Amino acid sequence: MLMHHGIGLDRFNHLPRTRAIHALYECCCNVTWAAKLADGRPYPGYRALQTAATAEIHALSPTDLERVFDSCVHEQVSEHSTAELIRITEARILRMLGPEDGYPDY
């Protein structure tokens, strides 16, 4: 379960750097990846964050990719590929941010 669940893009963009890294680390268990994304803030939209996340996954070394897959013990992993890691990471980022339109007011 993510500690940073449904925080929204605006709140994510305004987190202190260390908190943003922590939130992103929950999505892809790689500190370098998380730090690069945190340093790329603010993101204008969900797609911009997802695009940056994908680009940084492609920059991971094969050793880093295997380490990240080792952290996916609670995920349905069909293969150890970059495409599979992108799928998992995108889903985790969406859970972290919550719905793009926000949650309804009750």
Side-chain angles (χ1 to χ4, degrees):
M1 177 179 210
L2 295 176
M3 181 178 193
H4 299 87
H5 184 83
I7 63 174
L9 183 63
D10 188 54
R11 186 167 171 211
F12 168 74
N13 279 333
H14 290 93
L15 287 175
R17 182 177 186 270
T18 54
R19 293 267 323 267
I21 291 171
H22 184 255
L24 289 163
Y25 183 83
E26 293 176 346
C27 300
C28 185
C29 300
N30 183 281
V31 174
T32 303
W33 176 89
K36 286 181 180 180
L37 288 177
D39 291 342
R41 295 174 303 150
Y43 292 98
Y46 279 44
R47 191 72 243 150
L49 174 55
Q50 294 285 17
T51 299
T54 297
E56 292 304 329
I57 286 173
H58 285 290
L60 294 174
S61 71
T63 302
D64 284 338
L65 285 173
E66 281 306 310
R67 287 181 183 145
V68 172
F69 274 112
D70 287 345
S71 73
C72 295
V73 295
H74 299 295
E75 299 285 343
Q76 290 286 342
V77 178
S78 60
E79 61 180 305
H80 284 210
S81 69
T82 303
E84 184 71 1
L85 184 57
I86 290 168
R87 181 191 67 77
I88 291 167
T89 303
E90 283 183 351
R92 288 178 175 181
I93 289 172
L94 288 176
R95 283 194 305 265
M96 175 189 72
L97 296 177
E100 194 162 357
D101 295 333
Y103 291 103
D105 293 328
Y106 293 102

XYZ file of all heavy atoms in Angstrom:
839
model
N 0.851 -1.184 0.000
C 0.000 0.000 0.000
C 0.892 1.241 0.000
O 1.871 1.321 0.724
C -0.902 -0.012 1.217
C -1.752 1.206 1.321
S -2.801 1.108 2.766
C -4.159 2.023 2.183
N 0.508 2.206 -0.803
C 1.274 3.446 -0.891
C 0.977 4.346 0.303
O -0.168 4.512 0.714
C 0.915 4.200 -2.166
C 1.271 3.546 -3.491
C 0.766 4.390 -4.642
C 2.757 3.343 -3.607
N 2.009 4.933 0.851
C 1.829 5.900 1.921
C 1.265 7.203 1.357
O 0.472 7.878 1.993
C 3.173 6.142 2.597
C 3.126 7.092 3.739
S 4.789 7.213 4.439
C 4.404 8.024 5.941
N 1.683 7.548 0.151
C 1.217 8.765 -0.511
C 0.144 8.361 -1.512
O 0.416 8.157 -2.685
C 2.384 9.461 -1.222
C 3.464 9.872 -0.284
N 4.484 9.033 0.077
C 3.661 11.031 0.387
C 5.277 9.666 0.923
N 4.802 10.879 1.130
N -1.075 8.242 -1.047
C -2.172 7.760 -1.884
C -3.148 8.902 -2.158
O -3.664 9.527 -1.234
C -2.895 6.612 -1.166
C -3.978 5.995 -1.972
N -3.736 5.032 -2.912
C -5.300 6.220 -2.000
C -4.875 4.683 -3.482
N -5.838 5.391 -2.940
N -3.367 9.182 -3.445
C -4.347 10.188 -3.829
C -3.975 11.605 -3.459
O -4.844 12.416 -3.153
N -2.688 11.939 -3.506
C -2.268 13.271 -3.060
C -2.513 14.357 -4.105
O -2.505 15.530 -3.775
C -0.789 13.292 -2.620
C 0.150 12.963 -3.780
C -0.567 12.369 -1.452
C 1.628 13.116 -3.433
N -2.732 13.983 -5.335
C -2.972 14.966 -6.392
C -1.683 15.560 -6.931
O -0.664 15.610 -6.238
N -1.739 15.999 -8.171
C -0.555 16.531 -8.837
C -0.099 17.851 -8.220
O 1.098 18.061 -8.014
C -0.808 16.707 -10.335
C 0.384 17.192 -11.152
C 1.525 16.171 -11.104
C -0.031 17.450 -12.588
N -1.020 18.734 -7.901
C -0.647 20.029 -7.339
C 0.090 19.844 -6.009
O 1.137 20.441 -5.784
C -1.876 20.910 -7.154
C -1.502 22.321 -6.748
O -0.695 22.946 -7.462
O -2.002 22.782 -5.695
N -0.442 19.011 -5.162
C 0.209 18.765 -3.870
C 1.567 18.102 -4.079
O 2.545 18.455 -3.418
C -0.682 17.903 -2.989
C -0.142 17.740 -1.601
C -1.186 17.147 -0.682
N -0.565 16.807 0.588
C -0.950 15.819 1.348
N -1.978 15.069 0.998
N -0.336 15.556 2.468
N 1.638 17.132 -5.005
C 2.905 16.476 -5.306
C 3.936 17.503 -5.775
O 5.081 17.483 -5.333
C 2.725 15.387 -6.360
C 4.019 14.886 -6.913
C 4.840 14.058 -6.168
C 4.436 15.265 -8.177
C 6.059 13.614 -6.664
C 5.651 14.829 -8.692
C 6.459 13.999 -7.926
N 3.531 18.386 -6.671
C 4.446 19.407 -7.189
C 4.987 20.315 -6.091
O 6.050 20.901 -6.246
C 3.760 20.252 -8.266
C 3.754 19.582 -9.618
O 4.609 18.763 -9.942
N 2.772 19.937 -10.433
N 4.254 20.462 -4.998
C 4.661 21.367 -3.920
C 5.261 20.664 -2.702
O 5.604 21.335 -1.724
C 3.467 22.234 -3.500
C 3.105 23.232 -4.546
N 2.154 22.983 -5.507
C 3.598 24.453 -4.818
C 2.070 24.020 -6.318
N 2.939 24.929 -5.926
N 5.411 19.345 -2.761
C 6.058 18.644 -1.651
C 7.524 19.071 -1.548
O 8.160 19.372 -2.564
C 6.029 17.130 -1.882
C 4.711 16.385 -1.720
C 4.894 14.925 -2.124
C 4.201 16.483 -0.301
N 8.071 19.072 -0.345
C 9.524 19.262 -0.232
C 10.221 18.148 -1.028
O 9.676 17.056 -1.203
C 9.787 19.118 1.271
C 8.473 19.380 1.929
C 7.430 18.921 0.954
N 11.423 18.421 -1.511
C 12.134 17.481 -2.377
C 12.227 16.085 -1.760
O 11.971 15.083 -2.426
C 13.532 18.007 -2.686
C 14.317 17.099 -3.632
C 15.688 17.692 -3.977
N 16.362 16.899 -4.983
C 17.179 15.880 -4.687
N 17.427 15.556 -3.427
N 17.763 15.202 -5.661
N 12.586 15.998 -0.494
C 12.751 14.676 0.127
C 11.434 13.911 0.204
O 11.404 12.699 0.004
C 13.371 14.782 1.531
O 12.586 15.674 2.319
C 14.803 15.269 1.459
N 10.341 14.613 0.457
C 9.027 13.953 0.490
C 8.613 13.511 -0.902
O 8.018 12.446 -1.074
C 7.965 14.903 1.069
C 8.130 15.257 2.514
C 7.396 14.396 3.521
N 6.099 13.909 3.181
C 4.943 14.501 3.481
N 4.928 15.659 4.107
N 3.797 13.931 3.158
N 8.927 14.314 -1.915
C 8.602 13.934 -3.293
C 9.400 12.700 -3.699
O 8.862 11.787 -4.350
C 8.875 15.093 -4.250
N 10.671 12.654 -3.320
C 11.488 11.474 -3.620
C 10.895 10.248 -2.937
O 10.777 9.178 -3.546
C 12.955 11.701 -3.205
C 13.602 12.736 -4.121
C 13.743 10.385 -3.231
C 14.979 13.203 -3.663
N 10.497 10.390 -1.699
C 9.893 9.271 -0.972
C 8.620 8.798 -1.656
O 8.398 7.589 -1.828
C 9.614 9.667 0.480
C 9.080 8.554 1.302
N 7.766 8.474 1.667
C 9.688 7.456 1.804
C 7.574 7.376 2.374
N 8.728 6.741 2.484
N 7.770 9.729 -2.055
C 6.521 9.368 -2.737
C 6.807 8.639 -4.040
O 6.166 7.630 -4.362
C 5.683 10.616 -2.995
N 7.767 9.115 -4.803
C 8.116 8.477 -6.073
C 8.814 7.143 -5.863
O 8.607 6.209 -6.643
C 8.989 9.417 -6.907
C 8.261 10.613 -7.482
C 9.244 11.688 -7.914
C 7.370 10.195 -8.643
N 9.615 7.044 -4.828
C 10.298 5.780 -4.538
C 9.277 4.662 -4.343
O 9.514 3.527 -4.733
C 11.191 5.917 -3.305
C 11.973 4.669 -3.014
C 13.174 4.405 -3.674
C 11.519 3.729 -2.098
C 13.896 3.256 -3.425
C 12.233 2.570 -1.839
C 13.407 2.337 -2.513
O 14.117 1.191 -2.266
N 8.134 4.985 -3.774
C 7.072 3.995 -3.602
C 6.551 3.490 -4.945
O 5.969 2.418 -5.022
C 5.906 4.591 -2.818
C 6.228 4.910 -1.383
C 5.077 5.581 -0.660
O 4.123 6.042 -1.320
O 5.126 5.631 0.572
N 6.766 4.256 -5.986
C 6.275 3.894 -7.317
C 7.267 3.065 -8.118
O 6.872 2.314 -9.008
C 5.915 5.150 -8.112
S 4.637 6.160 -7.340
N 8.571 3.226 -7.853
C 9.583 2.533 -8.656
C 10.846 2.192 -7.882
O 11.880 2.020 -8.459
C 9.941 3.349 -9.896
S 11.078 2.534 -11.036
N 10.847 2.151 -6.614
C 11.931 1.657 -5.750
C 13.338 1.868 -6.284
O 14.182 0.978 -6.219
C 11.697 0.188 -5.429
S 10.144 -0.075 -4.571
N 13.598 3.047 -6.845
C 14.936 3.405 -7.285
C 15.147 4.875 -6.937
O 14.447 5.750 -7.458
C 15.103 3.175 -8.790
C 16.503 3.484 -9.257
O 16.857 4.641 -9.449
N 17.304 2.443 -9.439
N 16.094 5.134 -6.051
C 16.309 6.489 -5.543
C 16.733 7.444 -6.650
O 16.255 8.579 -6.710
C 17.338 6.491 -4.389
C 17.666 7.906 -3.958
C 16.818 5.690 -3.220
N 17.621 7.005 -7.535
C 18.082 7.879 -8.619
C 16.914 8.275 -9.510
O 16.753 9.451 -9.863
C 19.184 7.183 -9.447
O 20.246 6.830 -8.567
C 19.703 8.085 -10.541
N 16.096 7.312 -9.885
C 14.903 7.564 -10.702
C 13.998 8.572 -9.997
O 13.560 9.559 -10.594
C 14.181 6.234 -10.941
C 12.899 6.313 -11.677
C 12.727 6.261 -13.033
C 11.586 6.436 -11.123
N 11.387 6.343 -13.339
C 10.673 6.451 -12.188
C 11.098 6.532 -9.814
C 9.307 6.556 -11.985
C 9.729 6.650 -9.622
C 8.855 6.662 -10.704
N 13.727 8.323 -8.718
C 12.832 9.192 -7.955
C 13.398 10.610 -7.828
O 12.660 11.592 -7.962
C 12.582 8.592 -6.569
N 14.694 10.723 -7.588
C 15.312 12.049 -7.447
C 15.247 12.831 -8.749
O 14.961 14.037 -8.753
C 16.758 11.908 -6.979
N 15.505 12.170 -9.872
C 15.440 12.871 -11.164
C 14.032 13.376 -11.441
O 13.845 14.494 -11.926
C 15.921 11.955 -12.286
C 17.420 11.772 -12.269
C 17.879 10.884 -13.406
C 19.388 10.718 -13.373
N 19.866 9.869 -14.464
N 13.023 12.568 -11.117
C 11.641 13.011 -11.331
C 11.269 14.135 -10.367
O 10.605 15.096 -10.760
C 10.669 11.839 -11.182
C 10.713 10.826 -12.309
C 9.764 9.678 -12.011
C 10.359 11.464 -13.632
N 11.686 14.012 -9.124
C 11.391 15.070 -8.149
C 12.019 16.386 -8.586
O 11.410 17.452 -8.453
C 11.887 14.666 -6.764
N 13.232 16.305 -9.130
C 13.918 17.519 -9.573
C 13.305 18.106 -10.848
O 13.586 19.255 -11.183
C 15.407 17.236 -9.790
C 16.135 16.962 -8.484
O 15.596 17.316 -7.407
O 17.237 16.372 -8.539
N 12.487 17.339 -11.548
C 11.836 17.826 -12.764
C 10.536 18.572 -12.509
O 9.891 19.047 -13.444
N 10.130 18.654 -11.251
C 8.885 19.356 -10.929
C 9.043 20.857 -11.131
O 10.153 21.365 -11.064
C 8.494 19.090 -9.458
C 8.171 17.668 -9.197
C 7.935 17.394 -7.729
N 9.095 17.802 -6.941
C 9.030 18.223 -5.677
N 7.898 18.284 -5.032
N 10.119 18.593 -5.033
N 7.964 21.543 -11.378
C 6.576 21.096 -11.379
C 6.179 20.493 -12.734
O 6.679 20.911 -13.780
C 5.780 22.375 -11.115
C 6.615 23.454 -11.729
C 8.050 23.016 -11.527
N 5.300 19.512 -12.682
C 4.763 18.905 -13.898
C 3.410 19.542 -14.201
O 2.577 19.697 -13.307
C 4.617 17.387 -13.716
C 5.955 16.709 -13.600
C 6.486 16.385 -12.356
C 6.705 16.426 -14.726
C 7.739 15.783 -12.248
C 7.965 15.824 -14.624
C 8.461 15.505 -13.385
O 9.692 14.918 -13.283
N 3.192 19.929 -15.458
C 1.946 20.610 -15.801
C 0.731 19.678 -15.840
O -0.400 20.146 -15.774
C 2.226 21.192 -17.183
C 3.274 20.304 -17.767
C 4.112 19.843 -16.600
N 0.969 18.378 -15.942
C -0.138 17.432 -16.006
C 0.341 16.020 -15.760
O 1.544 15.743 -15.698
N -0.616 15.120 -15.608
C -0.302 13.720 -15.357
C 0.568 13.137 -16.472
O 1.501 12.412 -16.223
C -1.585 12.905 -15.250
C -2.274 12.977 -13.907
C -2.435 14.177 -13.226
C -2.787 11.829 -13.323
C -3.073 14.227 -12.000
C -3.422 11.873 -12.103
C -3.571 13.073 -11.443
O -4.201 13.121 -10.231
N 0.202 13.449 -17.716
C 0.928 12.876 -18.852
C 2.402 13.304 -18.847
O 3.278 12.505 -19.167
C 0.253 13.293 -20.169
C 0.747 12.547 -21.373
C 0.250 11.091 -21.384
N 1.398 10.196 -21.296
C 1.414 8.997 -20.740
N 0.332 8.506 -20.199
N 2.478 8.264 -20.700
N 2.669 14.536 -18.461
C 4.048 15.012 -18.410
C 4.857 14.226 -17.379
O 6.010 13.850 -17.632
C 4.093 16.503 -18.094
N 4.258 13.954 -16.240
C 4.939 13.160 -15.215
C 5.152 11.730 -15.707
O 6.237 11.172 -15.557
C 4.146 13.170 -13.908
C 4.670 12.272 -12.782
C 6.122 12.576 -12.443
C 3.783 12.403 -11.560
N 4.131 11.138 -16.321
C 4.256 9.766 -16.832
C 5.322 9.691 -17.925
O 6.089 8.730 -17.983
C 2.913 9.257 -17.366
C 1.848 9.097 -16.307
C 2.040 7.879 -15.417
O 3.111 7.286 -15.346
N 0.994 7.515 -14.703
N 5.384 10.680 -18.785
C 6.385 10.699 -19.860
C 7.796 10.776 -19.275
O 8.702 10.056 -19.707
C 6.132 11.883 -20.811
O 4.834 11.715 -21.396
C 7.175 11.952 -21.907
N 7.987 11.634 -18.281
C 9.293 11.746 -17.630
C 9.646 10.446 -16.904
O 10.793 9.993 -16.951
C 9.297 12.921 -16.653
N 8.661 9.841 -16.257
C 8.893 8.579 -15.545
C 9.337 7.485 -16.510
O 10.275 6.738 -16.232
C 7.629 8.159 -14.797
N 8.688 7.406 -17.655
C 9.046 6.414 -18.673
C 10.454 6.648 -19.192
O 11.240 5.711 -19.330
C 8.023 6.442 -19.822
O 6.737 6.073 -19.296
C 8.402 5.493 -20.938
N 10.788 7.897 -19.469
C 12.130 8.213 -19.967
C 13.196 7.806 -18.957
O 14.238 7.248 -19.331
C 12.238 9.701 -20.284
N 12.951 8.041 -17.691
C 13.927 7.683 -16.661
C 14.000 6.175 -16.445
O 15.059 5.651 -16.088
C 13.634 8.410 -15.350
C 13.867 9.908 -15.415
C 15.275 10.290 -15.846
O 16.234 9.558 -15.559
O 15.419 11.354 -16.482
N 12.915 5.456 -16.665
C 12.975 3.989 -16.598
C 13.875 3.463 -17.701
O 14.692 2.569 -17.480
C 11.566 3.367 -16.671
C 10.842 3.585 -15.344
C 11.646 1.868 -17.005
C 9.395 3.180 -15.340
N 13.758 4.037 -18.886
C 14.620 3.619 -19.997
C 16.092 3.905 -19.699
O 16.973 3.258 -20.268
C 14.207 4.296 -21.307
C 12.973 3.713 -21.903
N 12.930 2.452 -22.457
C 11.721 4.216 -22.027
C 11.717 2.208 -22.907
N 10.959 3.260 -22.653
N 16.374 4.847 -18.821
C 17.759 5.201 -18.485
C 18.351 4.290 -17.407
O 19.555 4.341 -17.164
C 17.821 6.660 -18.021
N 17.527 3.449 -16.765
C 18.035 2.557 -15.724
C 18.932 1.476 -16.316
O 18.675 0.969 -17.402
C 16.883 1.892 -14.962
C 15.993 2.793 -14.119
C 14.829 1.996 -13.547
C 16.790 3.443 -12.994
N 19.945 1.118 -15.569
C 20.837 0.037 -15.998
C 20.121 -1.307 -15.828
O 19.139 -1.405 -15.065
C 22.110 0.045 -15.159
O 21.824 -0.399 -13.841
N 20.584 -2.347 -16.504
C 19.983 -3.681 -16.322
C 20.008 -4.132 -14.850
O 19.045 -4.732 -14.375
C 20.849 -4.587 -17.194
C 21.372 -3.683 -18.265
C 21.597 -2.362 -17.575
N 21.070 -3.814 -14.137
C 21.156 -4.168 -12.714
C 20.085 -3.437 -11.915
O 19.413 -4.032 -11.061
C 22.553 -3.832 -12.154
O 23.525 -4.555 -12.920
C 22.672 -4.191 -10.686
N 19.915 -2.142 -12.192
C 18.874 -1.371 -11.509
C 17.489 -1.916 -11.823
O 16.628 -1.992 -10.937
C 18.945 0.107 -11.884
C 20.082 0.842 -11.196
O 20.547 0.364 -10.143
O 20.511 1.880 -11.719
N 17.253 -2.295 -13.073
C 15.960 -2.863 -13.443
C 15.672 -4.121 -12.641
O 14.552 -4.305 -12.138
C 15.918 -3.176 -14.943
C 15.772 -1.989 -15.875
C 15.928 -2.445 -17.326
C 14.432 -1.301 -15.679
N 16.636 -5.000 -12.497
C 16.437 -6.224 -11.720
C 16.157 -5.910 -10.256
O 15.313 -6.553 -9.635
C 17.641 -7.160 -11.851
C 17.653 -7.940 -13.144
C 16.364 -8.723 -13.398
O 15.903 -9.460 -12.494
O 15.814 -8.571 -14.508
N 16.835 -4.922 -9.711
C 16.587 -4.529 -8.323
C 15.164 -4.000 -8.157
O 14.506 -4.262 -7.151
C 17.592 -3.481 -7.874
C 18.973 -4.051 -7.660
C 19.931 -2.985 -7.187
N 21.270 -3.531 -7.060
C 22.365 -2.851 -7.311
N 22.297 -1.585 -7.678
N 23.536 -3.422 -7.184
N 14.704 -3.238 -9.124
C 13.337 -2.724 -9.056
C 12.344 -3.873 -9.136
O 11.372 -3.919 -8.379
C 13.076 -1.678 -10.171
C 11.613 -1.299 -10.212
C 13.938 -0.446 -9.957
N 12.581 -4.842 -10.019
C 11.681 -5.990 -10.111
C 11.660 -6.794 -8.816
O 10.626 -7.352 -8.453
C 12.042 -6.885 -11.296
C 11.403 -6.441 -12.571
C 12.178 -5.936 -13.597
C 10.032 -6.500 -12.753
C 11.598 -5.504 -14.774
C 9.438 -6.070 -13.922
C 10.225 -5.575 -14.934
N 12.762 -6.838 -8.107
C 12.788 -7.527 -6.819
C 11.826 -6.881 -5.829
O 11.349 -7.529 -4.906
C 14.207 -7.529 -6.231
C 15.139 -8.472 -6.965
O 14.653 -9.335 -7.736
O 16.370 -8.331 -6.790
N 11.527 -5.593 -6.016
C 10.606 -4.888 -5.125
C 9.145 -5.064 -5.532
O 8.255 -4.612 -4.834
C 10.943 -3.397 -5.100
O 10.556 -2.795 -6.319
N 8.900 -5.734 -6.639
C 7.537 -5.894 -7.162
C 6.901 -7.206 -6.705
O 6.118 -7.805 -7.436
C 7.554 -5.839 -8.692
S 8.050 -4.254 -9.364
N 7.214 -7.648 -5.504
C 6.740 -8.954 -5.052
C 5.214 -9.026 -4.928
O 4.645 -10.107 -4.999
C 7.400 -9.368 -3.722
C 8.884 -9.576 -3.908
C 7.129 -8.347 -2.632
N 4.560 -7.896 -4.763
C 3.103 -7.896 -4.614
C 2.376 -7.544 -5.906
O 1.173 -7.326 -5.894
C 2.683 -6.922 -3.509
C 3.251 -7.269 -2.176
N 2.915 -8.415 -1.499
C 4.173 -6.655 -1.407
C 3.582 -8.471 -0.362
N 4.363 -7.403 -0.289
N 3.084 -7.486 -7.001
C 2.507 -7.134 -8.296
C 2.423 -8.367 -9.189
O 3.218 -9.294 -9.048
C 3.377 -6.083 -9.009
C 3.533 -4.789 -8.273
C 2.317 -3.900 -8.330
O 1.436 -4.107 -9.192
O 2.243 -2.984 -7.507
N 1.497 -8.357 -10.122
C 1.428 -9.378 -11.155
C 2.455 -9.017 -12.216
O 2.245 -8.088 -12.984
C 0.021 -9.429 -11.770
C -1.036 -9.963 -10.842
C -0.905 -11.464 -10.671
O -0.269 -12.151 -11.459
N -1.508 -11.977 -9.613
N 3.569 -9.718 -12.236
C 4.637 -9.447 -13.189
C 4.690 -10.587 -14.180
O 4.943 -11.729 -13.816
C 6.000 -9.295 -12.474
C 7.119 -9.053 -13.469
C 5.940 -8.170 -11.452
N 4.446 -10.272 -15.455
C 4.444 -11.317 -16.478
C 5.840 -11.581 -17.016
O 6.147 -12.691 -17.434
C 3.494 -10.952 -17.619
O 3.901 -9.742 -18.221
N 6.697 -10.557 -17.008
C 8.068 -10.710 -17.494
C 8.920 -9.578 -16.937
O 8.407 -8.530 -16.569
C 8.107 -10.693 -19.018
C 7.594 -9.379 -19.613
C 7.638 -9.346 -21.127
O 8.719 -9.575 -21.679
O 6.586 -9.094 -21.718
N 10.206 -9.792 -16.894
C 11.131 -8.756 -16.440
C 11.583 -7.947 -17.652
O 12.656 -8.166 -18.190
C 12.328 -9.380 -15.726
C 11.999 -9.848 -14.352
N 12.915 -9.862 -13.352
C 10.857 -10.290 -13.792
C 12.356 -10.300 -12.244
N 11.099 -10.573 -12.497
N 10.742 -7.000 -18.045
C 11.057 -6.151 -19.197
C 10.805 -4.701 -18.828
O 10.099 -4.398 -17.868
C 10.184 -6.529 -20.392
O 8.830 -6.172 -20.141
N 11.374 -3.820 -19.621
C 11.160 -2.397 -19.412
C 9.679 -2.053 -19.584
O 9.126 -1.278 -18.799
C 12.023 -1.583 -20.391
O 13.392 -1.960 -20.211
C 11.889 -0.096 -20.153
N 9.034 -2.648 -20.565
C 7.605 -2.380 -20.794
C 6.762 -2.777 -19.579
O 5.830 -2.058 -19.200
C 7.123 -3.108 -22.041
N 7.091 -3.898 -18.984
C 6.350 -4.354 -17.799
C 6.589 -3.410 -16.621
O 5.663 -3.073 -15.892
C 6.776 -5.780 -17.446
C 6.011 -6.384 -16.309
C 4.574 -6.720 -16.630
O 4.108 -6.502 -17.773
O 3.866 -7.196 -15.729
N 7.806 -2.954 -16.455
C 8.103 -2.020 -15.374
C 7.396 -0.691 -15.599
O 6.882 -0.086 -14.647
C 9.607 -1.804 -15.242
C 10.040 -0.914 -14.083
C 9.529 -1.449 -12.754
C 11.543 -0.773 -14.059
N 7.314 -0.239 -16.824
C 6.582 0.997 -17.136
C 5.117 0.834 -16.776
O 4.512 1.721 -16.167
C 6.778 1.391 -18.614
C 8.220 1.851 -18.844
C 5.778 2.459 -19.042
C 8.607 1.986 -20.297
N 4.530 -0.305 -17.108
C 3.123 -0.570 -16.785
C 2.892 -0.501 -15.276
O 1.973 0.180 -14.798
C 2.701 -1.935 -17.323
C 1.236 -2.276 -17.040
C 0.917 -3.726 -17.329
N 1.588 -4.666 -16.436
C 1.212 -4.928 -15.181
N 0.196 -4.288 -14.633
N 1.861 -5.820 -14.455
N 3.743 -1.168 -14.514
C 3.616 -1.194 -13.058
C 3.801 0.206 -12.475
O 3.028 0.656 -11.628
C 4.638 -2.176 -12.446
C 4.255 -3.609 -12.823
C 4.729 -2.014 -10.937
C 5.352 -4.626 -12.548
N 4.812 0.905 -12.936
C 5.121 2.241 -12.421
C 4.006 3.231 -12.740
O 3.624 4.039 -11.884
C 6.469 2.731 -12.979
O 7.478 1.781 -12.622
C 6.841 4.077 -12.419
N 3.481 3.179 -13.959
C 2.377 4.085 -14.311
C 1.178 3.854 -13.400
O 0.551 4.810 -12.943
C 1.985 3.911 -15.777
C 2.949 4.567 -16.736
C 2.518 4.464 -18.188
O 1.542 3.732 -18.495
O 3.154 5.131 -19.026
N 0.864 2.594 -13.123
C -0.270 2.295 -12.240
C -0.004 2.820 -10.830
O -0.897 3.377 -10.181
C -0.526 0.792 -12.215
N 1.216 2.661 -10.358
C 1.557 3.149 -9.018
C 1.512 4.676 -8.950
O 1.074 5.245 -7.953
C 2.936 2.646 -8.601
C 2.963 1.161 -8.274
C 4.355 0.721 -7.915
N 4.408 -0.664 -7.495
C 5.522 -1.270 -7.109
N 6.673 -0.610 -7.095
N 5.493 -2.534 -6.746
N 1.967 5.347 -9.990
C 1.908 6.817 -10.011
C 0.452 7.276 -9.990
O 0.099 8.215 -9.273
C 2.671 7.387 -11.223
C 4.177 7.214 -11.026
C 2.333 8.873 -11.432
C 5.020 7.567 -12.242
N -0.404 6.613 -10.739
C -1.817 6.985 -10.739
C -2.448 6.772 -9.369
O -3.279 7.578 -8.929
C -2.573 6.212 -11.814
C -2.285 6.651 -13.243
C -3.016 5.759 -14.249
C -2.668 8.112 -13.456
N -2.072 5.697 -8.674
C -2.576 5.490 -7.310
C -2.045 6.572 -6.375
O -2.760 7.050 -5.496
C -2.197 4.103 -6.794
C -3.047 2.997 -7.355
C -2.898 1.688 -6.593
N -1.536 1.203 -6.489
C -0.973 0.317 -7.309
N -1.659 -0.170 -8.323
N 0.274 -0.069 -7.120
N -0.779 6.951 -6.569
C -0.196 7.991 -5.725
C -0.941 9.317 -5.925
O -1.269 10.008 -4.964
C 1.287 8.190 -6.044
C 1.928 9.339 -5.287
S 3.596 9.760 -5.820
C 3.327 10.529 -7.401
N -1.195 9.688 -7.167
C -1.809 10.985 -7.457
C -3.314 10.981 -7.258
O -3.891 12.007 -6.894
C -1.486 11.411 -8.887
C -0.012 11.669 -9.194
C 0.157 12.023 -10.664
C 0.561 12.752 -8.304
N -3.972 9.875 -7.537
C -5.426 9.831 -7.497
C -5.997 10.251 -8.838
O -5.262 10.482 -9.794
N -7.331 10.376 -8.918
C -7.964 10.739 -10.193
C -7.489 12.099 -10.693
O -7.310 13.024 -9.897
C -9.460 10.789 -9.858
C -9.604 10.111 -8.551
C -8.304 10.193 -7.848
N -7.299 12.209 -11.982
C -6.815 13.461 -12.572
C -7.769 14.621 -12.312
O -7.349 15.755 -12.127
C -6.584 13.281 -14.067
C -5.784 14.395 -14.674
C -5.191 14.036 -16.028
O -5.350 12.903 -16.479
O -4.567 14.925 -16.623
N -9.058 14.334 -12.262
C -10.054 15.371 -11.994
C -10.271 15.578 -10.509
O -11.136 16.364 -10.116
C -11.379 15.008 -12.656
C -11.274 14.977 -14.171
O -10.420 15.686 -14.724
O -12.037 14.224 -14.804
N -9.529 14.885 -9.670
C -9.676 15.007 -8.224
C -10.817 14.147 -7.713
O -11.548 13.521 -8.471
N -10.964 14.134 -6.428
C -12.035 13.378 -5.798
C -13.273 14.265 -5.673
O -13.152 15.477 -5.477
C -11.600 12.897 -4.405
C -10.531 11.833 -4.466
C -9.209 12.130 -4.197
C -10.856 10.525 -4.793
C -8.223 11.149 -4.256
C -9.880 9.546 -4.868
C -8.567 9.857 -4.588
O -7.605 8.890 -4.660
N -14.443 13.673 -5.748
C -15.664 14.490 -5.625
C -15.834 15.012 -4.197
O -15.383 14.392 -3.238
C -16.788 13.508 -5.991
C -16.217 12.148 -5.744
C -14.741 12.256 -5.956
N -16.468 16.163 -4.083
C -16.795 16.713 -2.777
C -18.081 16.054 -2.291
O -19.033 15.890 -3.058
C -17.004 18.222 -2.850
C -15.711 18.967 -3.174
O -14.635 18.474 -2.743
O -15.773 20.006 -3.829
N -18.113 15.708 -1.044
C -19.317 15.082 -0.470
C -19.945 15.985 0.551
O -19.363 16.766 1.184
C -18.983 13.736 0.190
C -18.556 12.689 -0.817
C -17.219 12.373 -0.978
C -19.495 12.049 -1.597
C -16.816 11.412 -1.893
C -19.094 11.086 -2.518
C -17.771 10.765 -2.654
O -17.387 9.827 -3.567
